[in-house]
Each structure stands twice: as C-alpha cells, then as structure tokens.
Amino acid sequence: DAGITQSPRHKVTETGTPVTLRCHQTENHRYMYWYRQDPGHGLRLIHYSYGVKDTDKGEVSDGYSVSRSKTEDFLLTLESATSSQTSVYFCAISPSSSTDTQYFGPGTRLTVL
Amino acid sequence: AQSVTQLGSHVSVSEGALVLLRCNYSSSVPPYLFWYVQYPNQGLQLLLKYTTGATLVKGINGFEAEFKKSETSFHLTKPSAHMSDAAEYFCAVSDSPPGGYQKVTFGIGTKLQVIP
C-alpha cells in the first residue's frame, strides 16, 4: 500500500467554523489531489498540487483552499464550513514517472452541523 | 471533455455467479481507463487499468475488463462472485498522458451485493 495518511479520520464541526484536513505521504510523489465523495456523484476533484507551493483548482473548489509547503503534506482548508461540505474527503497521490495511477488515502469523514 | 457512465448504482448477484459491472466512457483522445474498488470505510484501491496494448486487462482478485473502442465500453467481469467481492466499484477515465498531472473523471459507482 502507498504510504498515505489522512488526519483526522472523523470530524464533526459547526457551520461557520474553519476546518483543516491533512494529507501526509511518505512516497515522495510529486502530485497530490483532494477529492470529495458524495452519494450519486462519485469522486469529484477539489484541488490538486503539482509541487511545493504549486496548486490549482478542480471542478468543485468553491469554499476550499489548499496549501503545500512540503512535498509530503497537502492541507485542505474549509475557511467557513457549511452543511453542504459534509462529505467524505479523500487524498490521492501520483508520481511523475511513467505511471498513470493515483493512490488513495483512507479518507476523512466530515460532518458539518 | 471526458465522462464516465456506470449503468446500475446497485447490482446483486448470487455467490458463484458471474459478476458484470458496466462502464461506458467518452473521451476526445485515446483514454486511459481504470476500475477501482472501495470496501466499507476504506479508500479506493486500483483493481485494474487499461493504457495501451492488449484490450483484455486482468486485475487483482480474479477481475478483468475489456476495452472496446467501438462500443466506448470498459465493462468489469468476474466469472464467479465471492462474498468478499461485496464493495463499491468505480470506473474512471483519464485523457492525461502518464507522468504528469492525472485528470481523472470518476463514475458514480456501483455497489455490488453478493447473496449467499
């Protein structure tokens, strides 16, 4: 298994509070991604990173920001959480070699009350 | 633009029966195609992938899929279902070449139930 951890694994918070989710990898892979998973929608890309301090938006980036100050860490921040952001969040990584596969972390279940 | 359609959000099969999970895609360039499996409370795990070459792809746990360009399909099959196959399966497509940022589009998933 690819060395990817996510923290916290579960979180319950209230509307309007800031929340930060962390993804940590030990594989030294260049690319990192944040997805959210919702019933009926599959996985949708929020943001991705192609290197330290290099990030870009995905298809559902509104209300989210990211940061990557080190190769191994990719942070997802909800500046002011809303109930529509209740979801399961997955981090994924992929190397810059010839492979095309993304490897996923175990996920974080976030509930916004 | 790329997209994926998985036919059937829930599929039930008897233990020992054939598993067939359907996936159709659209892509403006030759696609890379993937099947992932997700067990309860876990992340996604790659089952198999098609990039180039042989159109019949074999994956883990006895699963295989066939890339049919004329039908724009990449259906997942397993000859004999096992109870441990109960999970959610996601088909995905990418038009990104290997080695760079992977823009992957996922289907909505198919939950497979295996009946004893």
Side-chain angles (χ1 to χ4, degrees):
Chain A
D1 290 343
I4 313 170
T5 57
Q6 293 184 231
S7 59
R9 294 293 313 278
H10 301 271
K11 186 171 182 65
V12 179
T13 190
E14 293 186 352
T15 298
T17 60
V19 176
T20 296
L21 309 183
R22 179 181 184 238
C23 176
H24 178 78
Q25 60 147 329
T26 58
E27 306 296 322
N28 200 36
H29 284 353
R30 177 180 178 184
Y31 299 95
M32 299 185 75
Y33 312 79
W34 275 108
Y35 290 91
R36 60 178 289 174
Q37 182 181 26
D38 304 288
H41 292 277
L43 277 79
R44 293 178 292 175
L45 182 66
I46 305 171
H47 282 280
Y48 68 96
S49 170
Y50 48 96
V52 174
K53 298 186 179 180
D54 292 323
T55 65
D56 207 347
K57 297 178 180 180
E59 63 176 300
V60 291
S61 59
D62 287 350
Y64 301 95
S65 62
V66 290
S67 65
R68 191 172 178 195
S69 59
K70 298 184 290 185
T71 298
E72 58 266 34
D73 289 328
F74 193 31
L75 304 181
L76 177 70
T77 297
L78 292 65
E79 300 291 346
S80 178
T82 67
S83 58
S84 64
Q85 294 176 310
T86 293
S87 186
V88 181
Y89 292 86
F90 286 99
C91 174
I93 63 175
S94 64
S96 57
S97 66
S98 60
T99 187
D100 42 44
T101 302
Q102 291 187 6
Y103 301 93
F104 286 80
T108 294
R109 183 173 296 276
L110 176 67
T111 302
V112 183
L113 301 176
Chain B
Q2 57 193 26
S3 66
V4 173
T5 301
Q6 289 186 243
L7 299 176
S9 58
H10 291 80
V11 171
S12 294
V13 300
S14 298
E15 190 176 16
L18 171 72
V19 176
L20 171 60
L21 304 183
R22 300 179 185 272
C23 173
N24 289 89
Y25 70 91
S26 69
S27 176
S28 58
V29 298
Y32 301 94
L33 296 161
F34 308 84
W35 276 100
Y36 283 87
V37 61
Q38 184 182 31
Y39 299 102
N41 300 313
Q42 296 186 25
L44 276 70
Q45 177 184 357
L46 182 69
L47 262 183
L48 50 79
K49 65 181 179 182
Y50 168 79
T51 52
T52 59
T55 56
L56 182 62
V57 180
K58 295 186 184 298
I60 61 173
N61 301 336
F63 284 92
E64 61 183 35
E66 186 171 10
F67 169 57
K68 292 188 176 180
K69 184 178 179 180
S70 61
E71 299 177 8
T72 61
S73 69
F74 191 56
H75 301 331
L76 181 70
T77 61
K78 182 174 180 178
S80 177
H82 192 273
M83 295 300 296
S84 61
D85 294 327
E88 190 161 18
Y89 293 80
F90 292 90
C91 182
V93 62
S94 172
D95 61 7
S96 308
Y101 155 62
Q102 296 298 306
K103 183 180 185 300
V104 181
T105 299
F106 289 85
I108 64 171
T110 297
K111 287 189 176 178
L112 177 66
Q113 179 186 21
V114 181
I115 303 168

